Amino acid sequence: ALRQAAAAGQAIVDGIVTLDAENRILWCNRAAERQLGLDLRTDRGQPVANLVRQPAFVAYLAAGDFSQALRI
């Protein structure tokens, strides 16, 4: 089931990043790697705010209100 979910996530053209409770990267698809400059091989476990430095994203993450999407 996990492989199927990962394969489905790779098929989506939008960047997808999953985070743990401390906002560390658990997984991302290839689109997110391209769009955000991530490399899952080296960035897994890293705090996403250390790698995605856009001020709007950092503020969105810090606010913790994810009821509205953020488009970067």
Side-chain angles (χ1 to χ4, degrees), residues 6-72:
Q10 292 296 0
I12 296 172
V13 297
D14 294 323
I16 300 171
V17 181
T18 58
L19 307 173
D20 67 10
E22 285 79 39
N23 294 319
R24 293 180 302 229
I25 298 171
L26 294 173
W27 179 85
C28 67
N29 65 358
R30 285 184 292 278
E33 287 184 308
R34 284 190 309 275
Q35 294 166 352
L36 301 173
L38 300 175
D39 183 341
L40 190 57
R41 294 171 299 177
T42 57
D43 295 339
R44 185 186 316 253
Q46 297 298 315
V48 69
N50 288 357
L51 302 169
V52 181
R53 305 291 301 174
Q54 286 88 352
F57 174 74
V58 173
Y60 178 79
L61 192 62
D65 177 8
F66 309 118
S67 60
Q68 298 293 317
L70 174 68
R71 177 167 246 157
I72 299 175

